[in-house]
Amino acid sequence: MRCTVCGCDILPNRDSCQNCGTRIIEMTGLNQTQPSYSNSYDNSYNNGFNGNVMTAKKDMSMGKKVLILLLALVLGVAVGFGYWYYHNVSTHTIREEGFTIELPRSLEKTNTTDYAALSETGSVQANGKYANMDTDFQYMILDYSSSLAGTSADAITEEFFVSFMKSSFKQQFEDSFNEVYSGGNKLKITYHSSSGEDVYNYTMCKKSGSKFYWFVFGCKADEKDFYDPKFEKWASTIHIN
């Protein structure tokens, strides 16, 4: 090391020039000639720090991606459940000729045989059907005003009409007919349908004047226990206008 004041070479391990006495820390321009001892350490420190920061950023980025995926999954499940609930659980009011009923939105109106057109006596005034892949609701309105001439409409009760329908079912389905319940204006039966399936029907009659409203809820026989409480609930919402 050379003294910047007198130009003398400074001996090793001295803190000042042995010739002029100037302290090394007071010599101007010495820092430009001094070797740098801190670069390696500083670089190592900075590299380690920067590496940690980058790792932390990557971890945060991965965490955000996982959070976004979880939120998307939750949103997808919520939307799917909402769609299922809207179509299979939530109900809406269906207004037909002479009555209203609350049914799940999944039950859509379908084409049925026009019994009114086929009725020779003209007693079948209207009919219709709502169905999905698992269950259905059908109705038929019969008007006996013309055939009850001279007879009081009160003579034919809902219970009498149900008994009449039960006899018709026994004759139609023969050995496959099975009565599950019969009481008041309700009749529950199972039978072997023409499509080859065992079917369960929850039926109910409501009377208004000379008109009889025949309501039928149906499903597969092996799903009877699941749907029967639902049929009870849906039937309770029927109102004759």
Side-chain angles (χ1 to χ4, degrees):
M1 183 186 302
R2 188 180 299 275
C3 178
T4 61
V5 177
C6 66
C8 179
D9 289 333
I10 302 174
L11 296 174
N13 300 323
R14 290 187 60 89
D15 59 0
S16 62
C17 178
Q18 71 276 7
N19 182 48
C20 66
T22 303
R23 299 176 62 190
I24 292 175
I25 61 174
E26 295 173 349
M27 295 179 185
T28 59
L30 184 62
N31 290 338
Q32 286 76 10
T33 62
Q34 293 296 313
S36 175
Y37 298 100
S38 61
N39 286 344
S40 177
Y41 172 78
D42 290 343
N43 289 339
S44 175
Y45 174 78
N46 288 335
N47 289 339
F49 177 76
N50 291 336
N52 290 337
V53 170
M54 291 300 294
T55 300
K57 287 183 178 179
K58 288 181 179 180
D59 290 342
M60 290 179 63
S61 177
M62 182 61 69
K64 288 181 179 179
K65 289 180 180 179
V66 171
L67 180 60
I68 291 173
L69 287 174
L70 287 175
L71 289 176
L73 179 61
V74 171
L75 180 61
V77 171
V79 171
F81 176 78
Y83 179 84
W84 175 85
Y85 184 89
Y86 179 81
H87 284 275
N88 295 281
V89 179
S90 67
T91 60
H92 64 144
T93 302
I94 293 176
R95 292 175 173 83
E96 288 290 349
E97 183 178 340
F99 75 94
T100 61
I101 184 174
E102 297 284 332
L103 288 177
R105 299 177 190 274
S106 62
L107 270 70
E108 300 179 351
K109 194 166 188 175
T110 63
N111 294 326
T112 58
T113 302
D114 191 349
Y115 293 109
L118 296 175
S119 174
E120 296 179 357
T121 62
S123 59
V124 179
Q125 189 177 53
N127 67 284
K129 180 179 181 180
Y130 292 79
N132 59 23
M133 295 184 64
D134 301 313
T135 184
D136 61 65
F137 163 73
Q138 300 184 60
Y139 71 89
M140 184 166 57
I141 304 173
L142 300 97
D143 189 348
Y144 290 109
S145 56
S146 60
S147 59
L148 290 177
T151 304
S152 172
D154 294 336
I156 303 179
T157 63
E158 294 175 349
E159 291 80 359
F160 178 85
F161 187 85
V162 169
S163 297
F164 168 76
M165 293 300 292
K166 181 167 64 173
S167 298
S168 298
F169 288 145
K170 284 183 178 179
Q171 184 178 3
Q172 180 180 356
F173 301 118
E174 298 179 340
D175 294 339
S176 69
F177 175 87
N178 178 50
E179 179 181 322
V180 178
Y181 171 84
S182 180
N185 67 340
K186 297 179 183 179
L187 172 66
K188 302 178 183 181
I189 63 173
T190 60
Y191 59 90
H192 195 69
S193 69
S194 58
S195 64
E197 293 182 325
D198 289 329
V199 177
Y200 170 69
N201 279 173
Y202 174 112
T203 66
M204 181 175 68
C205 174
K206 280 185 175 288
K207 178 184 176 184
S208 178
S210 60
K211 293 183 179 180
F212 289 82
Y213 295 78
W214 184 245
F215 302 108
V216 181
F217 301 90
C219 67
K220 294 180 180 179
D222 58 3
E223 296 178 344
K224 171 178 67 69
D225 293 339
F226 175 78
Y227 277 107
D228 192 64
K230 297 180 183 293
F231 293 161
E232 288 277 2
K233 182 178 180 180
W234 299 343
S236 69
T237 67
I238 296 174
H239 296 285
I240 306 299
N241 299 334

